């Protein structure tokens, strides 16, 4: 996976945008629901990458049990540097993992973050929880 492909995947989700709060060398992909009543909702991060082909990786949110399973099965996946390693994986993008798997992990990260938003914000994004019934 290359830089433009990762950026395209991250920006393909409703409400997703790229931000640079830590400087121009670090892309932070966040999600925010639409502005309602003039008040801006807080944006939440779902992916973080230096976008550096020399040390190509992305940090993604993950359910703790799945994070452990992925780390055990794939040496390219570790606890994310400078983030809560219980909830965030660092994924090395050196070509060893299939692009479809990376795409799924990015989508899972987005879904986990959107699940923490209010129901109204989720509806504004057109996102629906999986039914438990």
């Amino acid at each position: 996976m290359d830089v433009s492909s990762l950026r395209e995947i991250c920006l393909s989700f409703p409400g997703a945008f790229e931000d640079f709060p830590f400087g121009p060398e670090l892309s932070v992909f966040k999600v925010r629901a639409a502005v309602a009543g003039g008040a801006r909702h807080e944006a939440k991060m779902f992916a973080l990458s230096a976008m550096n082909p020399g040390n190509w990786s992305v940090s993604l949110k993950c359910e703790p049990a799945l994070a452990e399973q992925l780390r055990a099965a794939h040496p390219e996946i570790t606890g994310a540097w400078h983030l809560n390693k219980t909830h965030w994986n660092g994924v090395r993008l050196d070509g060893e993992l299939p692009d479809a798997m990376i795409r799924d992990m990015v989508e899972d990260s987005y879904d986990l973050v959107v699940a923490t938003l209010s129901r109204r914000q989720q509806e504004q994004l057109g996102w629906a929880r999986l039914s438990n019934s």
Side-chain angles (χ1 to χ4, degrees):
M1 177 163 297
D2 61 17
V3 170
S4 62
S5 296
L6 178 64
R7 181 174 280 122
E8 183 179 323
I9 290 166
C10 289
L11 294 176
S12 70
F13 300 106
F17 65 98
E18 188 175 12
D19 195 11
F20 302 91
F22 307 115
E25 65 283 343
L26 195 61
S27 290
V28 178
F29 295 94
K30 298 179 180 180
V31 59
R32 179 174 44 222
V35 175
R40 293 185 70 92
H41 296 294
E42 180 181 339
K44 294 194 174 191
M45 177 178 77
F46 67 92
L48 170 83
S49 178
M51 298 297 210
N52 176 0
N55 186 17
W56 189 214
S57 66
V58 64
S59 296
L60 300 167
K61 193 159 189 155
C62 191
E63 290 183 358
L66 179 57
E68 287 183 26
Q69 292 172 0
L70 289 169
R71 292 174 199 166
H74 303 282
E76 301 82 13
I77 301 175
T78 60
W81 196 53
H82 286 306
L83 295 171
N84 182 331
K85 289 165 184 42
T86 301
H87 298 279
W88 288 86
N89 276 341
V91 181
R92 196 169 63 241
L93 303 175
D94 58 5
E96 294 297 316
L97 297 173
D99 285 0
M101 181 180 179
I102 296 164
R103 192 172 297 114
D104 287 346
M105 288 188 290
V106 172
E107 183 175 0
D108 287 350
S109 181
Y110 173 87
D111 286 342
L112 284 169
V113 171
V114 173
T116 68
L117 301 177
S118 71
R119 183 178 302 253
R120 183 172 179 197
Q121 290 170 305
Q122 292 171 359
E123 288 170 358
Q124 287 176 345
L125 293 168
W127 187 87
R129 287 181 196 271
L130 295 175
S131 175
N132 290 339
S133 50

